[in-house]
Every structure is written in structure tokens, then in C-alpha cells.
Amino acid sequence: MKHGGDLTEAIARHGGAPASWLDLSTGINPWPWPIPQHLPESVWQRLPSHAETRALLDAARKTYGVPDGADIAAGSGTQALIQLLPYLAVPGPVAIVEPTYSEHAAAWRNAGHPVVSIENLDVCPDGAVHVVVVNPNNPDGRVPDRAALTRIAAQLKGRGGWLVVDEAFADVDPAISAVALCPDWPVVILRSFGKFYGLAGLRLGFAIGAPDLIERIAGALGPWPCSGPALLIGTAALGDQPWADHMRGKLEQRAHELDQVLAKAGFTIAGGTPLFRLARHPHAPKRHAALARRHIWCRRFDWADDLLRFGLPPDDAGLDRLAVALRD
Amino acid sequence: MKHGGDLTEAIARHGGAPASWLDLSTGINPWPWPIPQHLPESVWQRLPSHAETRALLDAARKTYGVPDGADIAAGSGTQALIQLLPYLAVPGPVAIVEPTYSEHAAAWRNAGHPVVSIENLDVCPDGAVHVVVVNPNNPDGRVPDRAALTRIAAQLKGRGGWLVVDEAFADVDPAISAVALCPDWPVVILRSFGKFYGLAGLRLGFAIGAPDLIERIAGALGPWPCSGPALLIGTAALGDQPWADHMRGKLEQRAHELDQVLAKAGFTIAGGTPLFRLARHPHAPKRHAALARRHIWCRRFDWADDLLRFGLPPDDAGLDRLAVALRD
């Protein structure tokens, strides 16, 4: 199973209606930003206007702390930007800090770039023209050292390449972001709207970088990459600072409770972010299968047979259901 | 003004609230397919599933008459596909039948292809590796000859190139579609959901072609290019054959009424489709300016000073308002 986000395969194998499953396979916040009951009909009917796009980008600039001397573009989900960047980048090998979100390697390979897997930024080969690092990393939560990021960015600048920093899960702690590097270096920061705001179906993501770099990305995206609802809801949600502040505390609390349930069941916490936990168990595949039979879906990995990743249960009943299933 | 779809510039110049404008600058159906009052919350929150994508593509196959031996992929609006194709196409010049939707030339040029403007398919230069033609054409409504399309497709096959047929406005008459060419030739058909279904803000478009071609396009789009609401609403609307049949008649009727208003005001109809009319007038720029002062926004062209394009007024009041404004 390549993606944790799709229950289709789990249901095909183990049966059950989608609603009967406890889906812990994603890192999506289970408490979404509250969408207004009624959206104006015009957001569905009209093409999004320049003014609406401007409002979204202004809200995103503020929330993501985009400095002067950097710019921002919006796409239909971070995935769309991950797909696009390899086509815009100069030819040459990309080094990716792994294990991580597998779509980075797939997209660069698909666009014809040789892909090198590296364990951390300190062992980045001289031949790499581009580097991809996820910050904090999925699934282990690693945060790359700021000095290392700056050093790599400076090296890549000399090679005409880009440092792509995927900050899909950085909303949980704004201090994590490497956005301050953008004005001075060829750094592309990716920010995902759907995960922290719990609205992955909306498809909204951002690229932040130096103005010439963002101009190229925006030019390749073309007009109207985002839907009317994404512009309206994204603008409102990104402007809702009190909700974000409250949510950070709530996610940390629930992640702590999840850790306790996992520890009680013999797992050791190996990493993660407040949106998902990486947990180690000597019989991880067996536990994964046992949970699946009880229609609880977590994430396993083909590169490690002692690790599982758990997203946050949406309520106490879900947490209890997991605890009971893990006791059996 | 490059795009007719954006009132922002018109309002900046002439004032007025967006709702006070009669926007006839687009070719979007003013009577949208009726969106359900309440969408399930999951379409916003979850990543779209394989099953949901499959359902959309099945509905689209049927509605667009995709033959056996051809496949279909969905993107976040036809524009996103227009942007992507030039990056996937082999290097080489593209010939575009013009005047037409200007984003085709912009996208191919942006991706590094030389662009040649041609008047019709009969004068396509031997050096063209790719050809783009809009069917029916925007703004004049021209429908390219099927024999000419087949001849060009056969030539391009020998050059490793693609014939891109943009059928953004073909829903008004399914017989127009060149989709039957797909299994045998390197033809990419683009279909726009938002125009005929009146839901341009949803961002949904399709590419149809031979399986290997569509596999490349789908691979470059990556997972989840479309939003959850786009999948749900698109599947339901594309499956609503009675609505489509009724709408074709309604659009033709209103286009006929619009023609009468324009003729009465001294215009001659120069072409179009039931979703927009191209009208000739010796003082077109003056008429455009006079309408704009009355907050009626139609489309003018930098390549012709005697043509204007009018979309359909959404109601009788709108049609009357246009008639009165044209009398002054």
C-alpha cells in the first residue's frame, strides 16, 4: 500500500462500510476548521478572480511568515506542486533525505531526474543538483538543522539547483519553518493547507521562494489552479489565528494520549509530529493485520518491518476502540 | 484584458459592486447544474479515494463517448491540463489554429516550444511537431473538418507529436467531438466540465487519448489532482443525461434571443456556439466602452477591432438590460 490516505484497498481486503472503519492511516487533523454551512453560489459558478487569489495569498503570507523578498503561489494541493517542480528544475540528480513521503522520489524520477536516497543532509553527495527534505519529516518527525539547510542551499545555488523543503506538517510549530532562507537562497518551501486544517479534500497547497522562482512556478501553474471554494475557505481558515493556536494545544494533548495507549500495548514511540505518531513494535506487521481485521487502518512501511504510523483518533471512542483492539 | 473571466479589472476601471455587473465576458453556462444543498463533510476532509476517482471517470467516459481503446484522466480544470501537456510533449514547434483561446500559445511558449500561428489545418507547416485546434473554436465557433483532423493526426504520428483538440465547448453538440480518433492516433482531447455545467469554480477538466498517452498525463498529474467536491459533483452532474438534454435546448433558445438583440443593435453575428456569440460591429470598441460604463462586461479582442463576444444573459432582465444599453 503506497498511500495511507486511501481506504479503498483496505475495504476490498477486509470488507466493511467506509464509515465503519477507524482510519488512522493519514496525518490529517481529525478536527477540521469549520466550513460555513452555506457557501455563496458564485464560488462554484464563476472562475476565481484575481482579487480572491490575492486575498488567499495575503492570508497565507501572514500565517506562514513569508518574509519580504520572498513570494508565494497557490496550487491545487501540495501534491500538484510536488509533481510540477521536477519539470521546472534544471536537469540533474536530486538527493532526497529518506525514508520520507514517497511521492517526492516518484515525481522527480517520473520527470527524468536521477534520484539518490540519502540518510541526512550531512551525507549529501557533491553530484546532487537538487535536494529534497521534509521538515518535520514524515514519518519520523526529524527537523533538519538550520545550519545544514543553509549550507546545502549555498552549495545548490552554485550548481543552479533547488533545495525543496516540504513543510506539510510544520503548522504544529511555526518555529520549525525554514521560510527565512527564501530571500537569499534557491529554496522552495512547500506548505500544505489540508493537513493541519483537516480539509485534505479541498486540495490547497503553497510554494514559497524567491520572487523569480515563484514567478516560474506560478507561470507553469497558469490561471485558476485552485477552486473557488478552496480560495474562500483557505482565506478564512488561514486568517483564523485563534483557531490555529487552540488547535496546536489540542493536537499535542491527543498525540500524548495516543502515545500512552500505544506504550501500554508494547509500542515504543520512535518519532512523529502532533498529527501522527511513529511507533515501534517487534511484531508490527502482525499488529497491523490484527487491527485491519477489526477495521482499524494504520500505516505500515515496506522499508521497516518494526514500525507503524498512527494518525490521531477523532474522539475518545476512537481512542478507546484502538486501546481495546491493541489489547486483544 | 487577457481573460474575459475576471471582473476585477473592469471594476477597478468603472467601479460598482461585483453583483451590480452583468458579466457577459465568459462562455460559462449561466444556469448551473444544481449542486446539492449539503455535501457530505467527508468530501472536504478526506483525500479523494480511488473508488471516487473511478466513479468520476466512468461517468465522464459515458458522457464524452470515450471509445474502447482510449482512456481518460481528470485534472483540476482544463487549464491545468493545457499547462501540463507542453512539458510532457517531445520538443519541437507547435502550430496553433488561431485566433483562439490564448492560453494554449502561452503554455507551449512558457514550456519552451516555438509556436506557429496558422489560419486553418490546411496550411499546417511540415515543421510542426504538435498541433492545437479548438473544436468548436473560441470565439468563432469553427468546427474543423474530420478528414483534416485525421490527416494531421497521421502526419504528427510520424513526427512523434500530438494533435491536441480542445473541446471545451463541445457539450452543446456531442456529434462535434473528435474522440473517435483517440484509439488510432496521437490525439489528446480536452473536455471542460465547468463551462457547460456552469460550475467553473469547481475546477474540473479531462484529457482523453490512447492508453499510453493518458498514463503519462495521469502520472504527471499525480494522485488527488481533483478536489473531493469536484469528484462528487462531477460524477453526479455528468451522469445527469436529462439535465444535459434539456440544457442544450435552453442554451440554443437563449443564444437565438441574444442574436436578435444584437442584430437589432446593428451587430452581425460572425460565429459562436450556444454558450457565446461572436458579433461584428464597425464601432465595436466604442460599444464595448459604452456597455462597460453601464456595468455590462463583454469580451473584446486585441486582434480585431470590429468584433465583440457576448456570453448568455442569465435571465430576461439581463437580456433586456443589454438591449436597453445597446439602444443608447
Side-chain angles (χ1 to χ4, degrees), chain B residues 209-260:
Chain B
D212 60 329
L213 220 158
I214 294 303
E215 194 184 339
R216 280 196 65 197
I217 293 172
L221 286 168
W224 323 294
C226 305
S227 70
L231 291 177
L232 183 85
I233 293 167
T235 304
L238 288 166
D240 191 349
Q241 196 62 47
W243 182 90
D245 291 340
H246 169 75
M247 188 50 61
R248 283 187 196 102
K250 188 167 172 174
L251 292 170
E252 277 204 29
Q253 171 63 23
R254 176 52 53 111
H256 178 68
E257 292 165 359
L258 176 56
D259 284 357
Q260 292 180 308

Side-chain angles (χ1 to χ4, degrees), chain A:
Chain A
M1 169 133 308
K2 202 166 153 203
H3 294 297
D6 199 323
L7 268 178
T8 310
E9 195 182 319
I11 290 169
R13 216 183 298 164
H14 300 280
S20 76
W21 280 78
L22 176 61
D23 186 4
L24 306 179
S25 71
T26 81
I28 299 164
N29 178 359
W31 304 297
W33 186 83
I35 292 179
Q37 278 287 332
H38 294 283
L39 301 177
E41 291 193 346
S42 60
V43 303
W44 301 104
Q45 296 167 9
R46 284 190 299 98
L47 284 169
S49 71
H50 292 311
E52 287 160 329
T53 303
R54 203 63 257 166
L56 174 72
L57 296 180
D58 285 349
R61 278 198 84 104
K62 212 172 151 189
T63 298
Y64 297 141
V66 179
D68 290 346
D71 214 338
I72 181 165
S76 175
T78 308
Q79 183 66 40
L81 300 166
I82 290 173
Q83 298 289 141
L84 182 62
L85 289 177
Y87 288 102
L88 305 183
V90 300
V94 58
I96 301 182
V97 180
E98 299 201 302
T100 194
Y101 182 56
S102 61
E103 289 293 337
H104 286 288
W108 287 85
R109 208 170 272 131
N110 190 48
H113 296 265
V115 173
V116 187
S117 173
I118 59 175
E119 272 186 36
N120 59 65
L121 293 175
D122 293 336
V123 295
C124 186
D126 290 345
V129 172
H130 309 286
V131 170
V132 176
V133 61
V134 180
N135 173 43
N137 191 40
N138 171 10
D140 57 22
R142 274 186 294 168
V143 172
D145 181 52
R146 187 65 51 89
L149 286 173
T150 311
R151 193 185 65 242
I152 294 287
Q155 288 168 359
L156 297 182
K157 189 174 188 174
R159 299 170 200 162
W162 294 345
L163 169 59
V164 178
V165 185
D166 179 354
E167 299 189 344
F169 295 99
D171 302 66
V172 294
D173 179 3
I176 287 175
S177 178
V179 71
L181 297 180
C182 290
D184 298 321
W185 305 106
V187 172
V188 184
I189 306 273
L190 299 177
R191 298 290 304 230
S192 162
F193 176 80
K195 293 178 181 76
F196 180 69
Y197 290 90
L199 296 169
L202 193 63
R203 311 313 297 133
L204 182 60
F206 298 90
I208 303 166
D212 60 330
L213 220 159
I214 295 302
E215 194 183 340
R216 280 196 65 197
I217 293 171
L221 286 168
W224 323 294
C226 304
S227 71
L231 291 178
L232 184 85
I233 293 167
T235 303
L238 288 166
D240 191 348
Q241 197 62 47
W243 183 91
D245 291 340
H246 170 73
M247 188 50 63
R248 282 186 198 103
K250 188 168 173 172
L251 292 169
E252 276 205 30
Q253 170 63 26
R254 176 51 55 113
H256 178 68
E257 291 165 0
L258 176 56
D259 285 357
Q260 290 180 310
V261 164
L262 293 170
K264 223 170 186 170
F267 287 86
T268 51
I269 304 305
T273 77
L275 283 163
F276 58 82
R277 310 307 289 164
L278 187 68
R280 194 180 303 278
H281 194 286
H283 307 301
K286 265 194 198 163
R287 306 306 295 253
H288 183 270
L291 289 174
R293 283 193 298 272
R294 286 164 182 79
H295 294 183
I296 297 175
W297 194 235
C298 64
R299 189 75 197 281
R300 52 175 297 187
F301 304 96
D302 52 15
W303 46 267
D305 60 5
D306 61 344
L307 291 173
L308 296 178
R309 200 192 71 180
F310 293 86
L312 302 188
D315 47 29
D316 290 343
L319 193 66
D320 290 347
R321 184 174 159 193
L322 176 66
V324 169
L326 285 172
R327 265 203 293 276
D328 286 352

Side-chain angles (χ1 to χ4, degrees), chain B residues 24-47:
Chain B
L24 306 178
S25 71
T26 82
I28 299 165
N29 177 359
W31 304 297
W33 186 83
I35 292 180
Q37 278 288 332
H38 293 283
L39 301 177
E41 290 194 347
S42 59
V43 302
W44 302 104
Q45 296 167 10
R46 283 190 299 99
L47 284 170

